[in-house]
Amino acid sequence: MCAKKKGAKRGFLTVIAVILGLILACLLAATYYVNHFLNQINRVEQIPQETLTHEEVEIILAETDPVEEEFTGVVIEPEEVTMPEEPAEVIETGDHVVNILLIGQDRRPGEGRQRSDAMILCTVNKEQKTLTMTSFLRDTYVKIPEYNGKKYSDNRLNVPYVIGGMELLDRCLEQNFGIRVDANIEVNFSGFMKLIDMVGGVEIEIKGYEIGYLNKHIASMNRVMGTNTKSIYSSGKQTLTGGQALAYARLRHVDSDLKRADRQKAVLEAAFNKVKKQPVSKYP
């Protein structure tokens, strides 16, 4: 009787040992699988950014014409703009909130750092599990902080990035709006198109009145960047390629910069929803 009990106990322990061994093997395999994909992500604390000379900055700023030929709205001269004397009070958020600034710079092939013509703050609230996108319009008139011992006059919000890259743009947002940026993500035209193509394009509702201007942007982009993006001929919901999505995100002459900001957020939301439906193994 005693021998039978010992044998049963030994068999039970063997089964437990086998089960624990299988669990450990699964955990090791899962760890290796996750690390394999995480190792493909290039993480950097600070992206090295080229330092432009004063002459290069002046050339780029000289090309920044605040009034476009097709603009028909009210024009406010810089001397008519009233600015607050004191910096904005910093908005305290806590560890559960992360602010990531998305920067789209107006950079063509062969050019150095250009203006930040698209600036969207993605605020992630880890407690409420929400993601909020806030656009900052490029023509917003702001005070530019002192940088590298040099003082700058008030200018448009897309100018600080030309002068001092992400660092100065982040400081400018904090001084003028009280927002602390925790991280930056930047793309140029080529990078934007590649990212959209990597997720298989984005589904966007195209309005009939947008098509003419949209195709003008596509033709101009093909000419300047040497791309071969196809024109769009019909309205309604359709999947845009990276090149078509870039033209759509830059579209403003048909209405306004506010509407352009909405288009940019629509593209981001469509890309986010596309990735969200994919299994982790398919993440680009």
Side-chain angles (χ1 to χ4, degrees), residues 214-230:
L214 193 52
N215 287 332
K216 282 184 181 179
H217 270 294
I218 290 174
S220 173
M221 186 176 63
N222 286 338
R223 186 170 56 254
V224 173
M225 302 188 64
T227 52
N228 191 29
T229 300
K230 294 181 179 179

Side-chain angles (χ1 to χ4, degrees), residues 57 61 64 115-116 138 144 155-164 168:
V57 170
L61 296 187
T64 306
R115 299 171 288 263
S116 54
R138 62 178 192 156
I144 300 180
N155 212 314
R156 299 195 295 170
L157 187 56
N158 64 351
V159 167
Y161 185 75
V162 176
I163 300 170
L168 185 56

Side-chain angles (χ1 to χ4, degrees), residues 41-225:
I41 300 174
N42 182 26
R43 299 179 185 275
V44 287
E45 289 301 316
Q46 180 68 41
I47 296 176
Q49 290 196 295
E50 62 212 295
T51 301
L52 303 184
T53 65
H54 177 70
E55 289 73 20
E56 288 174 320
V57 170
E58 289 300 319
I59 290 171
I60 295 173
L61 296 187
E63 296 172 348
T64 306
D65 184 2
V67 183
E68 298 180 8
E69 292 180 7
E70 299 184 38
F71 183 74
T72 57
V74 177
V75 176
I76 302 176
E77 297 299 329
E79 56 271 15
E80 297 175 3
V81 178
T82 56
M83 306 286 288
E85 294 299 324
E86 297 296 322
E89 186 175 344
V90 175
I91 302 170
E92 296 298 335
T93 54
D95 293 337
H96 65 290
V97 174
V98 179
N99 286 322
I100 303 171
L101 183 65
L102 309 183
I103 302 169
Q105 65 160 312
D106 187 11
R107 179 176 180 173
R108 277 86 167 169
E111 293 182 335
R113 187 171 68 237
Q114 297 295 311
R115 299 171 288 263
S116 54
D117 273 356
M119 293 159 283
I120 300 177
L121 187 74
C122 288
T123 302
V124 180
N125 189 313
K126 293 184 276 188
E127 287 183 354
Q128 298 178 4
K129 301 188 185 303
T130 58
L131 169 62
T132 305
M133 291 188 286
T134 306
S135 292
F136 291 89
L137 301 188
R138 62 178 192 156
D139 286 337
T140 306
Y141 211 63
V142 295
K143 285 185 175 294
I144 300 180
E146 183 177 322
Y147 186 71
N148 282 346
K150 183 173 174 58
K151 293 183 178 180
Y152 294 90
S153 58
D154 303 340
N155 212 314
R156 299 195 295 170
L157 187 56
N158 64 351
V159 167
Y161 185 75
V162 176
I163 300 170
M166 297 174 183
E167 180 184 3
L168 185 56
L169 177 55
D170 290 350
R171 283 166 52 186
C172 187
L173 289 175
E174 181 171 333
Q175 175 173 306
N176 289 273
F177 302 101
I179 293 169
R180 277 210 178 111
V181 176
D182 298 302
N184 299 92
I185 296 176
E186 172 225 278
V187 293
N188 55 22
F189 290 168
S190 300
F192 180 92
M193 289 190 288
K194 287 177 183 176
L195 287 170
I196 297 300
D197 285 334
M198 283 173 72
V199 299
V202 288
E203 193 173 62
I204 297 291
E205 181 81 30
I206 301 295
K207 309 291 193 306
Y209 64 85
E210 295 173 328
I211 295 176
Y213 284 94
L214 193 52
N215 287 332
K216 282 184 181 179
H217 270 294
I218 290 174
S220 173
M221 186 176 63
N222 286 338
R223 186 170 56 254
V224 173
M225 302 188 64

Side-chain angles (χ1 to χ4, degrees), residues 22-41:
L22 289 172
I23 291 173
L24 180 60
C26 290
L27 288 174
L28 289 172
T31 302
Y32 172 80
Y33 183 76
V34 170
N35 285 336
H36 171 71
F37 284 102
L38 289 180
N39 285 336
Q40 295 183 46
I41 300 174

